Amino acid sequence: HRHTTSTCHRRHMHGPSFHPSQRSISPSSFGLSRRSRGLGPSSRHSRVSCQAFSWRSLFLGASSSSSSSSSSSPKAASAEAEETSSASKEKWAREEAAREQYNATMKAAMSNPYEYQPEIGLYYTEITPGMLVGTQIKSPEDVDRLVDFEGMTSVINMQQDKDVEYWGVDLKPVIQRCKERGVQYIRVPAVDFSGDSLRGVSAKAAAALEYCMRGDFETSDGQDGSDAGPPPPGTCYCHCTAGLGRSPGAVIAWMYWFGDFSRLDDAYDFLTFKRPCGPKKEAIRAATWDLLGRPMENGEPWRPSHDNNDDNNSQEDPTPPPNAGVELTEEEKQVIRDAIFKKYPVSSIMAGQPPRAWNVFFDWLRGR
């Protein structure tokens, strides 16, 4: 069930972006391996069997409750059921309105047909070995699924606080579960649907991705007093809200600057073939030019004006010349890497992040 998904489910996940002709395309013919999975309620079974299971559970629950409380008034039970049903309908209506508004905004801002379908649960894609791009982690159970199914060792969340609040997600239990499961949790927030913001945070996000993939964290970074060594390289889960803009854009930048791709178009096509999405390519090209072609002051890499993720920042960064940043030599890649590592060392990435992951046993032992 981990490697296959029903056709109807894949069409539902991709929404209007899925086209029947895609089923005839073989990723192997491009030298690629397609691996997209959803860990929502329909990942292990078809939608019909899942719904049947859900109804069966409801039926058994109703039978159990009625048998255990036979002395309760039928009218009271009916009133309670109506109240629960009304609350469920209201919650569904709120979520549906939030989804429709979000997708309408995304289509207008991103100029692409892709949609976010939160009701299907986690939907993610392995881009390169150990690098996953997907939808937001909304619960501790999502953390457990990613650890158990994929061996996740680190998370990079590119959402802002307002994005999390919009979807009613409580990050505290999510971060706590990451800590319990030995997962490093890192936030690199960027403004949703904003090419300027993606341009500004791409270098920091690429540094975080590289550190996560290499397991290159300092021993404790002065945060928890531990003397444990750096975590081993593992699987990194990079997400924003829908996994269609900010997080795939950051991974494309990481592949372009730290991977084997010499052309931006190749890195972009590689990711978007595996995971249909529409991150702003011009933002990545501009970020490449910022790191490589812009003047440096006092020996420090130039900082884009949108590096602070301010929604009200109206300042416009200069537009790179035509063809600037579209192709890189190995020497230019090394210049970019040096600039990124100098600007964003591990201590800079980890500053203000949750304490590094600990095993539950050692947390219990330290508390005695």
Side-chain angles (χ1 to χ4, degrees), residues 285-315:
R285 184 175 79 88
T288 305
W289 180 59
D290 293 338
L291 291 165
L292 187 63
R294 296 299 301 276
M296 299 174 65
E297 299 178 1
N298 301 322
E300 294 292 330
W302 178 80
R303 176 189 289 270
S305 62
H306 289 78
D307 198 20
N308 57 3
N309 295 301
D310 184 1
D311 291 312
N312 299 317
N313 189 347
S314 60
Q315 180 178 349

Side-chain angles (χ1 to χ4, degrees), residues 107-141:
K107 287 181 179 180
M110 304 291 286
S111 301
N112 62 53
Y114 306 113
E115 289 189 345
Y116 175 40
Q117 305 290 343
E119 66 273 12
I120 68 173
L122 283 173
Y123 168 50
Y124 59 91
T125 309
E126 183 178 63
I127 306 303
T128 63
M131 177 60 69
L132 306 177
V133 174
T135 56
Q136 60 181 327
I137 296 176
K138 302 173 70 175
S139 67
E141 291 73 23

Side-chain angles (χ1 to χ4, degrees), residues 99-250:
R99 181 182 69 83
E100 290 182 357
Q101 180 179 355
Y102 181 85
N103 285 329
T105 304
M106 180 165 59
K107 287 181 179 180
M110 304 291 286
S111 301
N112 62 53
Y114 306 113
E115 289 189 345
Y116 175 40
Q117 305 290 343
E119 66 273 12
I120 68 173
L122 283 173
Y123 168 50
Y124 59 91
T125 309
E126 183 178 63
I127 306 303
T128 63
M131 177 60 69
L132 306 177
V133 174
T135 56
Q136 60 181 327
I137 296 176
K138 302 173 70 175
S139 67
E141 291 73 23
D142 287 346
V143 176
D144 290 335
R145 293 183 185 118
L146 287 166
V147 173
D148 295 338
F149 281 86
E150 302 296 341
M152 179 182 70
T153 56
S154 58
V155 175
I156 295 180
N157 180 358
M158 298 191 68
Q159 292 176 297
Q160 293 181 297
D161 289 338
K162 67 173 187 177
D163 302 324
V164 178
E165 295 170 0
Y166 180 83
W167 296 103
V169 177
D170 186 358
L171 284 185
K172 290 183 179 179
V174 172
I175 294 174
Q176 178 61 30
R177 184 59 57 85
C178 284
K179 181 180 179 183
E180 294 170 355
R181 296 303 301 269
V183 175
Q184 180 68 64
Y185 194 93
I186 298 173
R187 297 191 67 183
V188 186
V191 180
D192 207 356
F193 315 131
S194 170
D196 289 329
S197 182
L198 178 60
R199 175 182 181 175
V201 304
S202 289
K204 183 176 183 179
L209 289 166
E210 181 67 8
Y211 294 142
C212 286
M213 292 300 288
R214 298 190 328 196
D216 193 15
F217 295 103
E218 293 179 356
T219 300
S220 65
D221 211 33
Q223 295 197 52
D224 54 23
S226 68
D227 56 359
T235 298
C236 177
Y237 186 82
C238 183
H239 75 87
C240 44
T241 294
L244 299 174
R246 291 168 287 183
S247 54

